Amino acid sequence: MPISSNAFVRSTVALLVVGFLALAGIVGTTIWLVERTQVYFNEVVEARDARTVTVDLRTALQDAETGQRGFLLTQDEAYLEPYAAALQTVEAQFSELKTVLAPYPQAAEPLAALRTDIDFKLAEMEHTIELARAGRIDDALAVVDTDGGKAAMDRSRVFFDALIKAADDRLSTGVASQRDAATALRWVTVIGAFVIFAVVGGSAWTVMAYTRELANARHAVDQANAGLEERVRERTSELGRANEEIQRFAYIVTHDLRAPLVNIMGFTSELETSVGQLSDYMKDRPENDDPQFAEARLAATEDLPEAITFIRAATRKMDSLINAILKISREGRRQLKAEALNLSDIIAATVASVQHQIGESGGAATVDVQVPRITSDRLSLEQILGNLLDNAVKYQQPGRPLNIVVRARQASGNRIEIEIEDNGRGIAASDHERVFELFRRAGTQTQPGEGIGLAHVRTMVRSLGGDITLRSEPDAGTTFIITLPRDLRSYLGSQGK
């Protein structure tokens, strides 16, 4: 059964979602199990530390008690060596035990009782040893016979045994929990791997099936479009002829508009002269009480000169617009001449033509051309580059040295790409396309112009088989990107020219 594009997209998305969920589940579960394992490990370490320090403290007390009793029985100072060694470690071990049990508030009271019992036992042992050294053995034994020290030691042993048992239980529980976490992690990995393998297998099958469908469709398209290239060439030729007709029509219309406009401008000049004479005459006439004379004088000295000024401005505006249309029309009708050109020389010469203007602002121009010789129309290239460089000079940011960089490099599809970058006032994003429209200008207008420069540039670039775009930000400069075929003849041939 053929796989449609929608079905392929849906199945691919579904497999990706399943794979993502499986991967997220594996990662999430693994992280959680690792965290739990770390918690169990920390508990095991804490239990081991608590057990070790408890055993060490109990052993130290037992060693001290053994040394004390041996000395009381024999009065041999050698028995006091383990006693002295034990005394040096008891305090450090008790402090360590206190630190280990600090996170457990419930151990505070038993720990305080243990401290009391240890202090009592140590004091008793020290007292009995002092009595024995003084030769009062009977008094020392009498102190031991009171069983106070034994009771304190018994209570300490109960505490030690309970703490060791709790540590052992915690060790057993921690090890079992770690084993369970490792088992769970193993199963999560196995199940997740199975799901991922299933997703990969399903994806591979879907891609292979869809690829077969694409190959079959491409074969069908190739068969259906066997004569499409010729039909496109014929249609392009028809469009070219239609475009030439439109350009010819624009040329005829604008040329015919020039004649009445010239008459209007001529008669306006004559009218301006007559109105000037009339104004001078009315100014020299003495004042009288006739209201009609006052109105005639106002019309001759103020209204008519103002109207002539408006007419003059409108005719000049119309004349510049007609000239702009004629310029673009002539360019579109001009026969292109494809010739071998050194692009580096053309760019260098064009930059040199505005070098003095760039230098006046304290700026500089940089040229980086990595394109060998090309085949194109020299005049069109010179006009395109000249217009763009003139624009960079014209719209530079006041108070900032103008820096221009012209780059040229190879592009895909046997084409070249030319970039003209400046650090001028820039163009807002909403005006990036608008600036290429005829009679349209962007931003605050501080320079004279009719808004035909970039429209003319785009017309010339497209006549060479290329395109022009830009990237720009206000106050950050503008970069125009021109893409052209390396060989104009191949483009003209495809157009049937």
Side-chain angles (χ1 to χ4, degrees), residues 406-451:
V406 182
R407 291 182 287 265
R409 58 178 178 268
Q410 301 278 3
S412 60
N414 199 28
R415 301 175 76 81
I416 64 169
E417 190 172 271
I418 303 172
E419 291 187 358
I420 299 178
E421 178 183 351
D422 65 62
N423 63 338
R425 69 186 193 185
I427 301 171
S430 58
D431 291 329
H432 283 189
E433 181 60 28
R434 171 178 175 166
V435 294
F436 292 109
E437 297 177 7
L438 192 60
F439 308 131
R440 303 294 292 273
R441 305 180 72 191
T444 303
Q445 302 306 318
T446 59
Q447 300 290 338
E450 304 299 336

Side-chain angles (χ1 to χ4, degrees), residues 27-67:
V27 172
T29 306
T30 301
I31 292 174
W32 181 79
L33 288 173
V34 169
E35 291 294 332
R36 295 306 305 164
T37 301
Q38 184 64 43
V39 171
Y40 299 146
F41 176 77
N42 292 338
E43 291 178 353
V44 168
V45 171
E46 290 176 1
R48 183 200 63 192
D49 292 343
R51 190 182 194 285
T52 300
V53 71
T54 302
V55 171
D56 290 344
L57 180 58
R58 183 181 65 180
T59 301
L61 290 174
Q62 289 174 345
D63 290 345
E65 187 179 34
T66 300

Side-chain angles (χ1 to χ4, degrees), residues 5 36 112 147 159-160 220 245 263 272 291 302 306 419 479:
S5 177
R36 295 306 305 164
D147 289 336
F159 178 86
F160 292 146
E245 286 295 325
N263 290 334
E272 189 174 19
E302 297 182 15
E306 183 180 6
E419 291 187 358
T479 301

Side-chain angles (χ1 to χ4, degrees), residues 205-260:
W205 180 85
T206 303
V207 169
M208 291 176 61
Y210 189 64
T211 302
R212 285 196 299 269
E213 294 296 331
L214 286 178
N216 295 335
R218 183 176 298 141
H219 181 67
V221 169
D222 291 341
Q223 290 181 335
N225 294 338
L228 180 60
E229 185 176 348
E230 183 62 29
R231 292 196 298 273
V232 170
R233 185 179 293 109
E234 293 175 358
R235 183 58 178 163
T236 303
S237 179
E238 293 175 1
L239 291 175
R241 288 193 294 270
N243 185 53
E244 291 177 358
E245 286 295 325
I246 292 173
Q247 292 175 345
R248 190 179 299 112
F249 175 74
Y251 179 80
I252 292 172
V253 169
T254 52
H255 184 271
D256 290 346
L257 285 175
R258 293 293 299 277

